[in-house]
Amino acid sequence: MSSVLINGNEIGKVIRNNLQTRIEDLKKQGVVPGLAVVLVGDNAASKTYVTNKQKTCESLGMHSRLLSFTSSLSQEELMTTIHDLNTDESIHGILVQLPLPKHFDESLILSAISPDKDVDGFHPNNVGKMLLGQETFLPCTPFGVMKLLEHSGIEIAGKHAVVVGRSNIVGKPMGQLLLQKDATVTYAHSKTPDLGSITRQADILVVAVGIAKLIQAEHIKDGAIVIDVGMNRDENNKLCGDVDFASVSQKASFITPVPGGVGPMTITMLMENTIQSAENKLRQDK
Ligand code: GUN
């Protein structure tokens, strides 16, 4: 059997087309949705992600501002930058690209972002709301995965979803969003013994561990739906996911490629959250 490809480029494009209408409506009311991206240090992958976020903003006619600092920036200076952005009327979304250099207290920084502009959904208030199923900004990657499943017509209720990875950015919120859609959720991670015995139970398998080609055909059951959040380089320096696409795609019913699966969705949902924030602000101001 060969699987159906879940095309994040195509699904992302459909969603961004719909966002365009909301941007035009905002502009008619004098508001240009604005995203500030804060980059500290010279992590090559982070630079690429940040550039892609900016390009997508510009292609949609949104305002984007990059604040780029060397790793000599202090915690206090970064705090001041965030406080300034919190009160900047032209900015509706603030994103601090992670990981930060080691001398920063990441959780303090993320807590300093105004929850109203926290388009990553990483502020503790927003994480709490997400957990309670209340309306809030959802973390972009898990939000994007939910959109991929929805647009592919995949029913979630009653399915056994296994999430491999437990990061605050992807794994933990991913499991919660699947749970809210009535999946039975199992979390697995680097300390899980006999990972395959867990992943083979998955109807929906989401892998976000950052280990190239960790998941092989023998780790999934026939017809599983496989979502690969990984972004790694293989032995030939070629981009690859956490899933061995060549073998797993022969056994899965649906699969996301890397690149062109989850990645474009993360950026698209960041745009959606920024537009949502601008709409919220306009409503409050009326
Ligand atoms: N680093 C990797 N993924 C993300 C993300 O979704 N948001 C931020 N801020 N940093 C990241």
Side-chain angles (χ1 to χ4, degrees):
M1 190 175 75
S2 178
S3 47
V4 174
L5 201 69
I6 302 181
N7 187 332
N9 285 324
E10 287 299 321
I11 296 171
K13 203 180 288 173
V14 170
I15 296 175
R16 290 196 300 279
N17 273 340
N18 293 333
L19 292 179
Q20 199 79 62
T21 319
R22 289 167 66 185
I23 296 169
E24 296 314 320
D25 283 348
L26 282 163
K27 285 185 172 174
K28 277 183 203 146
Q29 297 175 79
V31 176
V32 181
L35 174 70
V37 178
V38 181
L39 176 65
V40 187
D42 52 10
N43 181 308
S46 288
K47 279 187 183 170
T48 308
Y49 295 146
V50 162
T51 305
N52 288 338
K53 286 165 185 171
Q54 279 207 293
K55 277 190 189 154
T56 309
C57 263
E58 278 150 27
S59 74
L60 288 171
M62 291 166 56
H63 168 59
S64 90
R65 190 189 307 167
L66 173 64
L67 296 97
S68 185
F69 302 98
T70 66
S71 53
S72 66
L73 188 79
S74 70
Q75 172 94 9
E76 291 67 33
E77 287 167 323
L78 183 50
M79 283 296 224
T80 305
T81 301
I82 290 169
H83 290 142
D84 290 346
L85 291 169
N86 283 343
T87 54
D88 187 327
E89 295 269 328
S90 68
I91 295 299
H92 303 95
I94 303 169
L95 179 143
V96 176
Q97 186 65 34
L98 302 178
L100 284 167
K102 283 197 180 62
H103 63 278
F104 288 98
D105 182 335
E106 207 160 270
S107 70
L108 264 184
I109 297 290
L110 296 178
S111 298
I113 297 173
S114 166
D116 294 340
K117 296 190 178 186
D118 171 38
V119 288
D120 254 332
F122 293 165
H123 189 286
N125 291 12
N126 290 333
V127 176
K129 284 185 175 179
M130 186 263 311
L131 192 76
L132 295 169
Q134 296 174 7
E135 206 168 296
T136 185
F137 297 117
L138 299 178
C140 302
T141 299
F143 190 13
V145 170
M146 297 307 283
K147 290 282 180 188
L148 285 179
L149 295 172
E150 185 188 321
H151 280 253
S152 305
I154 292 165
E155 182 68 47
I156 296 171
K159 296 266 170 69
H160 187 178
V162 174
V163 178
V164 188
R166 52 170 161 181
S167 70
N168 291 336
I169 296 180
V170 184
K172 282 184 202 166
M174 187 73 252
Q176 289 304 314
L177 296 183
L178 290 161
L179 183 65
Q180 269 159 26
K181 293 290 180 194
D182 299 323
T184 300
V185 177
T186 302
Y187 286 99
H189 48 79
S190 55
K191 301 278 194 308
T192 301
D194 193 7
L195 181 65
S197 70
I198 308 290
T199 56
R200 274 188 293 274
Q201 295 174 36
D203 301 311
I204 301 174
L205 179 65
V206 182
V207 193
V209 280
I211 302 173
K213 302 182 190 178
L214 174 72
I215 300 297
Q216 301 282 325
E218 75 218 48
H219 297 124
I220 73 157
K221 75 171 166 194
D222 267 324
I225 295 153
V226 179
I227 307 290
D228 188 353
V229 183
M231 182 63 83
N232 315 290
R233 297 269 169 191
D234 71 6
E235 57 282 1
N236 302 315
N237 206 35
K238 205 168 149 258
L239 278 181
C240 74
D242 293 349
V243 173
D244 178 35
F245 186 87
S247 69
V248 173
S249 61
Q250 299 302 308
K251 201 172 173 187
S253 58
F254 289 84
I255 189 166
T256 58
V258 176
V262 174
M265 296 302 293
T266 298
I267 301 186
T268 302
M269 303 333 289
L270 176 65
M271 301 299 122
E272 159 120 23
N273 282 348
T274 305
I275 293 160
Q276 185 66 54
S277 175
E279 290 169 348
N280 295 348
K281 174 78 167 49
L282 192 61
R283 211 176 318 113
Q284 281 162 15
D285 288 350
K286 270 187 180 161

